[in-house]
Amino acid sequence: MSCFSGDATVGAVCGEASDCGPGQQCRHELCGRCGNGSHESGELCYASPIAIDGAADVRSFHVADLDGNGRDELYVLDGAGALRRFAAPGRTLEAQDVALPEPATGIALGDADGDGRGDIVAFAGATITVLVAAEDGSFVAAAKLDAGHVLAEATVVPTREAEGTLLFVDDQGSLFAMDLVDGAVAARVDVGTKVHVGPAVYFDDDEFVDVAFVDERQNRMGVVAGPRWDRLVRIDVGRGPTAVLGYDRDGDGRHDFLTLDRFGHTVTLVASSGEGDLRLLDSLAFATAPLAATAFDADFDGTPDVFVGTDTTLEFWRGEIGRNPEGVTFAAGAIEAMAIAKFGAAPVFEILTLADGGLSRRAVDP
């Protein structure tokens, strides 16, 4: 059903049907808080995605506010190993090439040199290039390091004792830690045998940053404690977890987690506490393998909702305050990767999705 005709925006919360933007679509299954009108009370309105110009043949993408202006930027690595930065000084995203010394197979974002500005760590094979942020917003290649291992995934972790630590997974699935400042030899972190590295988090209420991970072979999710990476806590999740994401499920300021369990066709929700333990909260089931996920408050009820992409659908799962805990199809089609971004000064979020090598955006308007 449709509220109106014309162009659409996503996620509007309406008091009456006339409040829906032009062309907005509403589904009762996705109900949020619409109120009165031709559609049912509590519907969540949404629209078709809009392609991001200049973001084609995408290998991977990352969202971060590296320049600290309160607005996210989008960093897109294409199939040829070139990197582009997208930012929104106005209503549209403007693209700018980021010069790399050589083509990259992956990047990680974060403060690599401890100066308070966000940097880029690009890698290809065993070679790591650190691009530090200059005051004018550009990036300058500052160091070239040899990891001694072929990098597959990486996360930049700020630590008190060694500003700028890179935790990376090699092509054999082992986790390593490497100081980006002095380029010391990477040290193996003994957490599992087929590991995927996740986000840097504050997990156990101390002053040090920790890192989440999953072990695909042992069906586990865990957190390894910084800065020495010698303490860890683990918990069993679904079969074949290939990624872990962090989000604040209950607003207590601590990270909780989602694991993408590819072989089990599930997403496992894991809760954390300030005492440094993990507990299973729930498990969401899918017809096919989950390939991407994100969580944010899409229906504006104060509780994060979960979006999961598979090779056939994008599904919406309401947070526990909501009335519809089962998954509902939000959009049809394959979703390879997904993220949330806030490109403007207002608290308006967008869902970014990757499908068939192209990036699209769906604005969510309060």
Side-chain angles (χ1 to χ4, degrees):
M1 70 187 283
S2 177
C3 296
F4 232 77
S5 61
D7 295 331
T9 56
V10 179
V13 177
C14 312
E16 298 181 354
S18 60
D19 292 338
C20 291
Q24 283 187 320
Q25 301 171 354
C26 301
R27 287 191 179 179
H28 179 58
E29 313 94 283
L30 300 179
C31 54
R33 289 187 325 204
C34 282
N36 301 319
S38 63
H39 51 288
E40 296 293 332
S41 173
E43 289 181 323
L44 177 67
C45 302
Y46 66 99
S48 299
I50 301 171
I52 298 177
D53 292 336
D57 186 27
V58 177
R59 181 196 299 263
S60 64
F61 71 95
H62 299 258
V63 174
D65 178 16
L66 292 189
D67 58 14
N69 68 352
R71 303 183 181 193
D72 287 326
E73 306 99 47
L74 169 64
Y75 296 85
V76 176
L77 188 68
D78 68 19
L83 182 62
R84 304 194 84 190
R85 175 185 184 269
F86 293 78
R91 289 182 173 271
T92 60
L93 292 178
E94 294 184 0
Q96 178 184 13
D97 293 334
V98 178
L100 298 176
E102 58 189 45
T105 58
I107 64 168
L109 307 178
D111 186 0
D113 57 1
D115 66 354
R117 291 193 294 263
D119 308 309
I120 300 172
V121 177
F123 54 87
T127 301
I128 298 172
T129 302
V130 180
L131 292 87
V132 299
E135 292 186 2
D136 63 359
S138 63
F139 295 92
V140 180
K144 191 172 185 179
L145 308 174
D146 183 358
H149 303 268
V150 175
L151 276 70
E153 307 171 15
T155 294
V156 176
V157 184
T159 65
R160 179 178 293 271
E161 293 188 353
E163 295 292 353
T165 296
L166 189 73
L167 262 66
F168 67 85
V169 176
D170 71 357
D171 57 347
Q172 302 302 309
S174 296
L175 184 65
F176 294 84
M178 185 175 187
D179 191 327
L180 290 172
V181 175
D182 62 18
V185 175
R188 190 175 189 276
V189 182
D190 189 14
V191 298
T193 57
K194 193 173 182 182
V195 175
H196 300 277
V197 66
V201 298
Y202 285 99
F203 173 68
D204 51 11
D205 277 358
D206 65 15
E207 59 185 333
F208 301 109
V209 180
D210 314 305
V211 172
F213 67 92
V214 289
D215 187 331
E216 182 178 348
R217 183 170 289 127
Q218 298 187 34
N219 302 328
R220 289 177 175 175
M221 176 254 157
V223 177
V224 58
R228 296 182 176 85
W229 319 115
D230 56 356
R231 294 183 294 110
L232 70 153
V233 57
R234 292 182 287 196
I235 191 169
D236 292 340
V237 293
R239 291 190 299 114
T242 55
V244 56
L245 299 91
Y247 77 113
D248 187 357
R249 176 186 60 86
D250 50 10
D252 65 356
R254 302 186 186 95
H255 280 88
D256 303 292
F257 304 98
L258 304 171
T259 67
L260 303 184
D261 314 320
R262 180 167 297 191
F263 298 148
H265 292 184
T266 58
V267 167
T268 302
L269 281 63
V270 178
S272 64
S273 72
E275 289 70 39
D277 59 10
L278 298 167
R279 65 181 178 88
L280 291 179
L281 182 68
D282 202 352
S283 182
L284 314 179
F286 301 88
T288 58
L291 304 179
T294 192
F296 74 110
D297 186 7
D299 54 11
F300 315 105
D301 67 352
T303 300
D305 309 296
V306 176
F307 288 79
V308 178
T310 72
D311 57 5
T312 57
T313 63
L314 173 58
E315 292 195 20
F316 169 90
W317 293 72
R318 183 178 300 284
E320 60 185 18
I321 290 179
R323 292 163 291 177
N324 293 313
E326 73 277 6
V328 176
T329 298
F330 185 79
I335 303 294
E336 302 163 24
M338 182 165 34
I340 292 297
K342 185 176 79 69
F343 292 123
V348 175
F349 292 89
E350 301 192 23
I351 304 174
L352 304 182
T353 53
L354 174 63
D356 294 326
L359 271 176
S360 300
R361 55 193 294 200
R362 292 173 168 90
V364 180
D365 299 325

